[in-house]
Amino acid sequence: MSLVNTKKMLEQAFEDGYAVGAFNINNMEILQAVINSAQKNNSDVILQVSKSALLYAGPKYLKYMVQAATEETNINVALHLDHGPDFETVKLAIENGFTSVMFDGSQLEYKENIRQTKRVVEFAHEKDITVEAELGKLAGVEDEVNVSEKNAMYTDPDQAVDFVEKTGIDSLAVAIGTSHGAYKFKGEAKIDFDRLKLITQRLEEAGFKKFPIVLHGASSVEPECVEICNQYGGKLSNTKGVPNKILKEVAKLSVCKINMDTDLRLAMTAAIRKFFALNPEKFDPRGYLGEGRNLIEKIVDNKIKNVLGSVDSSKLQKVELM
Ligand code: G3H
Ligand code: 13P
Ligand code: ZN
């Protein structure tokens, strides 16, 4: 099956109250694990690649690996640029068959973010490529967020409307309390649900009905994987992710795309650490990379089936081939 953009898959997700998983890939095993799981569950899926992953694997390798992985599938798969930092990277991704891009101008001054995002939208839409952009700043664990800091960092609902109006983007990544990596919260995990609801309400009032929201930094940092890492020589302490319960709730609301990378990295590392510790005499990479692939598939399976709710989403709608 050919790749599709994210337009219809996110619309359907909003309509039916689930979210599509966006999983970061950068090598063959991770890609296979994600695709196997999505195919098994008849689920739409977004394969996403960051700029550093593009540099690591090479755009051509990624392009043809994804082509190989999707040739035999009958699900909707989008290939998406994650956190595109500039126009050149967006262009490189599109030239290499990506069907969706994120331009991340969240660190730019607001007007400049609008200007650069709009340029990306004009370029991408001409080729039927969907565009995601970000407004607000994702906090890290070191950031103790009080109310005024929250207002400064988190996505402002009125500004979100202005941003969507002026840029013409297809989906909006918001800052509502999550952050990238394995250390997301010091104490209890807290997400600003009221802000999320208000963003969607303001968008609806402005005529953007059912506008897809994207949640970055959404790994749950599965304790099972952290424990395996630590049992076999790892040193990961005070890790904390977004609980699956919270992800389930936002998926029922306006969040239609949920981004996960850290969970896959931890699964791969846990499986490899364990394999090395238990098989010190073995040195065939297929042994340990295969174990990594198996554990990632298990983690992705659990997300699709028990958290995102996207099982059988590909059956609900067959998106036109690109
Ligand atoms: O949001 C960032 C993703 O986890 C990608 O990270 O730039 O290390 O590939 P990366
Ligand atoms: P995690 O670090 O929580 O996996 O977030 C990944 C992400 O947002 C990729 O864009
Ligand atoms: Zn992200």
Side-chain angles (χ1 to χ4, degrees):
M1 170 126 183
S2 308
L3 298 170
V4 298
N5 68 27
T6 59
K7 190 84 189 161
K8 288 192 182 152
M9 57 167 89
L10 298 189
E11 272 171 17
Q12 186 80 43
F14 200 122
E15 197 63 43
D16 290 7
Y18 62 86
V20 180
F23 301 99
N24 286 70
I25 58 155
N26 49 57
N27 70 11
M28 184 186 77
E29 285 76 11
I30 301 174
L31 167 63
Q32 289 174 328
V34 174
I35 283 291
N36 288 348
S37 174
Q39 175 66 45
K40 221 167 39 192
N41 291 296
N42 253 313
S43 171
D44 290 352
V45 74
I46 299 168
L47 303 169
Q48 57 183 15
V49 177
S50 66
K51 182 182 179 183
S52 51
L54 269 178
L55 293 174
Y56 171 78
K60 286 272 174 287
Y61 277 90
L62 288 163
K63 173 183 176 168
Y64 290 110
M65 278 198 304
V66 168
Q67 195 174 307
T70 50
E71 210 170 77
E72 302 290 309
T73 56
N74 54 9
I75 51 172
N76 296 312
V77 181
L79 178 57
H80 173 82
L81 172 67
D82 187 29
H83 293 284
D86 47 44
F87 185 77
E88 286 61 42
T89 310
V90 166
K91 205 160 159 271
L92 179 71
I94 293 176
E95 281 164 2
N96 282 283
F98 283 53
T99 54
S100 177
V101 292
M102 175 194 192
F103 172 71
D104 182 358
S106 60
Q107 302 302 317
L108 299 171
E109 186 268 321
Y110 181 58
K111 278 197 175 144
E112 187 56 16
N113 189 4
I114 292 179
R115 193 187 69 78
Q116 294 196 26
T117 304
K118 197 163 173 252
R119 184 177 176 216
V120 167
V121 169
E122 281 161 7
F123 180 77
H125 279 184
E126 225 174 66
K127 299 166 179 58
D128 205 22
I129 309 285
T130 37
V131 180
E132 169 188 332
E134 181 166 322
L135 201 54
K137 291 176 184 64
L138 266 66
V141 76
E142 69 279 8
D143 305 303
E144 275 297 334
V145 193
N146 63 36
V147 177
S148 65
E149 283 164 345
K150 222 184 196 183
N151 284 331
M153 286 165 61
Y154 288 7
T155 307
D156 176 78
D158 293 311
Q159 201 175 51
V161 174
D162 186 61
F163 189 69
V164 170
E165 259 165 4
K166 291 194 170 134
T167 57
I169 52 170
D170 303 287
S171 59
L172 178 71
V174 295
I176 52 169
T178 60
S179 60
H180 293 110
Y183 308 93
K184 298 185 194 295
F185 306 97
K186 264 188 188 141
E188 197 198 333
K190 278 199 208 102
I191 298 295
D192 195 340
F193 278 98
D194 291 342
R195 189 175 294 263
L196 173 63
K197 288 178 189 160
L198 198 55
I199 292 168
T200 298
Q201 189 188 317
R202 289 279 181 270
L203 284 165
E204 296 254 7
E205 286 162 2
F208 296 101
K209 300 255 176 315
K210 302 184 177 173
F211 195 81
I213 300 297
V214 179
L215 190 68
H216 281 249
S219 279
S220 50
V221 188
E222 299 295 334
E224 175 197 347
C225 291
V226 174
E227 268 166 38
I228 300 173
C229 282
N230 286 341
Q231 193 183 343
Y232 296 104
K235 280 204 175 82
L236 300 171
S237 51
N238 303 320
T239 56
K240 190 117 190 184
V242 184
N244 284 322
K245 194 167 149 271
I246 289 183
L247 297 177
K248 268 190 192 177
E249 276 181 64
V250 297
K252 285 190 197 127
L253 298 171
S254 51
V255 172
C256 302
K257 172 175 179 276
I258 292 191
N259 284 14
M260 287 156 283
D261 186 1
T262 299
D263 279 340
L264 279 58
R265 295 178 180 197
L266 281 170
M268 178 65 99
T269 305
I272 291 177
R273 278 194 176 281
K274 183 173 177 184
F275 184 93
F276 283 156
L278 299 184
N279 305 281
E281 76 292 357
K282 292 195 178 158
F283 53 87
D284 182 342
R286 290 168 295 188
Y288 52 86
L289 293 176
E291 287 297 308
R293 183 170 59 189
N294 290 342
L295 191 54
I296 293 175
E297 190 170 327
K298 197 177 141 199
I299 295 292
V300 175
D301 258 10
N302 180 48
K303 288 289 173 191
I304 289 178
K305 279 195 223 154
N306 304 322
V307 183
L308 306 175
S310 63
V311 173
D312 285 341
S313 55
S314 259
K315 271 197 199 153
L316 294 172
Q317 36 113 32
K318 276 276 174 273
V319 175
E320 270 167 49
L321 302 190
M322 295 199 62

Short mmCIF file of all heavy atoms in Angstrom, two decimals, residues 24 50 52-53 82-83 180 216 261 265, ligand 1:
data_model
loop_
_atom_site.label_atom_id
_atom_site.label_comp_id
_atom_site.label_asym_id
_atom_site.label_seq_id
_atom_site.Cartn_x
_atom_site.Cartn_y
_atom_site.Cartn_z
N ASN A 24 8.57 7.14 16.46
CA ASN A 24 9.83 7.53 15.81
C ASN A 24 10.60 6.29 15.37
O ASN A 24 10.75 5.33 16.13
CB ASN A 24 10.69 8.34 16.77
CG ASN A 24 10.15 9.75 16.94
OD1 ASN A 24 9.10 9.95 17.54
ND2 ASN A 24 10.86 10.73 16.40
N SER A 50 13.00 12.17 12.80
CA SER A 50 13.54 13.50 13.17
C SER A 50 14.69 13.86 12.23
O SER A 50 15.17 13.02 11.46
CB SER A 50 14.06 13.45 14.61
OG SER A 50 15.18 12.58 14.66
N SER A 52 17.73 14.37 13.13
CA SER A 52 18.92 13.58 13.47
C SER A 52 18.79 12.13 13.01
O SER A 52 19.78 11.48 12.69
CB SER A 52 19.28 13.70 14.95
OG SER A 52 18.17 13.44 15.74
N ALA A 53 17.55 11.63 12.94
CA ALA A 53 17.35 10.28 12.41
C ALA A 53 17.60 10.27 10.90
O ALA A 53 18.16 9.30 10.36
CB ALA A 53 15.94 9.80 12.72
N ASP A 82 9.50 14.70 11.84
CA ASP A 82 9.25 15.12 13.22
C ASP A 82 10.17 16.29 13.56
O ASP A 82 11.38 16.22 13.34
CB ASP A 82 9.55 13.91 14.12
CG ASP A 82 9.17 14.14 15.57
OD1 ASP A 82 8.23 14.91 15.83
OD2 ASP A 82 9.81 13.51 16.45
N HIS A 83 9.62 17.36 14.10
CA HIS A 83 10.40 18.54 14.51
C HIS A 83 11.31 19.09 13.41
O HIS A 83 12.51 19.35 13.66
CB HIS A 83 11.25 18.24 15.76
CG HIS A 83 10.43 17.99 16.98
ND1 HIS A 83 9.82 18.99 17.69
CD2 HIS A 83 10.11 16.84 17.61
CE1 HIS A 83 9.15 18.47 18.71
NE2 HIS A 83 9.30 17.16 18.68
N HIS A 180 9.80 16.06 26.36
CA HIS A 180 10.47 14.92 25.72
C HIS A 180 11.35 14.17 26.73
O HIS A 180 11.78 14.75 27.72
CB HIS A 180 11.34 15.41 24.56
CG HIS A 180 10.53 15.97 23.43
ND1 HIS A 180 10.50 17.30 23.12
CD2 HIS A 180 9.70 15.36 22.54
CE1 HIS A 180 9.69 17.50 22.09
NE2 HIS A 180 9.19 16.35 21.72
N HIS A 216 3.02 15.89 21.90
CA HIS A 216 4.42 15.45 21.90
C HIS A 216 4.81 15.02 23.31
O HIS A 216 4.10 15.29 24.27
CB HIS A 216 5.32 16.61 21.47
CG HIS A 216 5.32 16.82 20.00
ND1 HIS A 216 6.43 16.55 19.21
CD2 HIS A 216 4.35 17.23 19.14
CE1 HIS A 216 6.12 16.82 17.95
NE2 HIS A 216 4.87 17.23 17.88
N ASP A 261 8.67 8.18 21.30
CA ASP A 261 10.00 7.78 20.88
C ASP A 261 10.72 7.10 22.05
O ASP A 261 11.21 5.96 21.93
CB ASP A 261 10.78 9.02 20.40
CG ASP A 261 12.13 8.68 19.82
OD1 ASP A 261 12.46 7.47 19.76
OD2 ASP A 261 12.88 9.58 19.42
N ARG A 265 12.89 3.50 22.48
CA ARG A 265 14.33 3.47 22.80
C ARG A 265 14.58 2.62 24.04
O ARG A 265 15.53 1.84 24.10
CB ARG A 265 14.82 4.89 23.10
CG ARG A 265 14.77 5.82 21.92
CD ARG A 265 15.22 7.20 22.32
NE ARG A 265 15.15 8.09 21.16
CZ ARG A 265 15.76 9.26 21.08
NH1 ARG A 265 16.46 9.71 22.09
NH2 ARG A 265 15.67 9.99 20.00
O1 G3H B 1 11.13 14.72 19.87
C1 G3H B 1 12.24 14.27 19.60
C2 G3H B 1 12.35 12.86 19.20
O2 G3H B 1 12.39 12.02 20.31
C3 G3H B 1 13.51 12.67 18.27
O3 G3H B 1 14.72 12.72 18.94
O4 G3H B 1 16.27 14.14 17.54
O5 G3H B 1 17.15 12.39 19.10
O6 G3H B 1 15.97 11.73 16.99
P1 G3H B 1 16.11 12.75 18.10
#
